[in-house]
Amino acid sequence: MTSEYGSAEPADVLLVEDNPGDIRLTKEAFKDGKIANTLHVVENGVDALDFLFQRNDYADAPRPDIVLLDLNLPRKNGDEVLAELHEDSNRRRIPVIVLTSSEEEMDVVKSYELCASGYLTKPVDPGEFINMIQELEQFWLSIMRLPTDTDLD
């Protein structure tokens, strides 16, 4: 999606989520919101890091403009993904929004300590979830200015 605030280029969004229902709702939000950005999905922390570091099966993956990251993931959890991203001087600049069911204050604090750009608790109601994804897209991909690949060299 584009606006007078943001880039005219569609963004690559990486969704790191293992819940099929939440994946379906996120895809629905992008479709219903007529969001022109490309949604990539991986279902565990190891695949997320492979995608982000463009290795193994994801060697040709695009560098995402933003990551939507669940905390409760198989193989490597969201905190481990955040920690590894933070260690890399280029990839730490990719905005990561934690999108999780946890309302625990300790999870919020830890996510921000690991340099998450934001923390959202998933609403239980599917309609509210879809609205939240559409608002998140509007803010982060239409209004906010994100670093470009040339900013990262």
Side-chain angles (χ1 to χ4, degrees):
M1 184 178 269
T2 60
S3 74
E4 71 265 23
Y5 303 109
S7 164
E9 295 297 315
D12 284 294
V13 178
L14 176 60
L15 173 64
V16 186
E17 175 62 65
D18 65 324
N19 181 315
D22 290 345
I23 293 169
R24 182 185 54 74
L25 286 173
T26 303
K27 287 179 178 180
E28 187 177 319
F30 271 64
K31 182 180 174 189
D32 289 354
K34 298 183 180 23
I35 297 170
N37 302 309
T38 304
L39 181 66
H40 307 273
V41 180
V42 295
E43 297 182 10
N44 65 68
V46 170
D47 286 348
L49 290 167
D50 283 351
F51 191 104
L52 289 159
F53 284 89
Q54 298 171 309
R55 57 189 182 209
N56 299 322
D57 291 343
Y58 300 98
D60 295 327
R63 180 188 180 96
D65 296 292
I66 191 167
V67 177
L68 306 178
L69 177 67
D70 188 16
L71 289 181
N72 303 310
L73 297 167
R75 301 183 69 196
K76 282 196 179 207
N77 66 36
D79 290 340
E80 292 170 305
V81 172
L82 281 169
E84 286 194 41
L85 281 179
H86 183 64
E87 291 174 7
D88 184 270
S89 61
N90 284 330
R91 286 167 184 85
R92 77 173 65 149
R93 298 179 196 168
I94 298 171
V96 178
I97 307 301
V98 173
L99 183 60
T100 187
S101 57
S102 174
E103 295 182 10
E104 295 294 323
E105 185 66 19
M106 123 180 132
D107 287 338
V108 176
V109 170
K110 188 169 186 182
S111 293
Y112 282 112
E113 285 176 348
L114 292 170
C115 297
S117 303
Y119 189 102
L120 296 170
T121 302
K122 297 174 190 173
V124 176
D125 178 80
E128 289 178 20
F129 183 90
I130 289 170
N131 287 339
M132 183 183 69
I133 294 296
Q134 291 172 344
E135 289 174 13
L136 180 136
E137 185 277 339
Q138 177 67 29
F139 179 75
W140 280 99
L141 300 174
S142 296
I143 296 173
M144 292 295 293
R145 179 172 179 214
L146 301 175
T148 63
D149 285 339
T150 56
D151 294 335
L152 301 174
D153 294 333

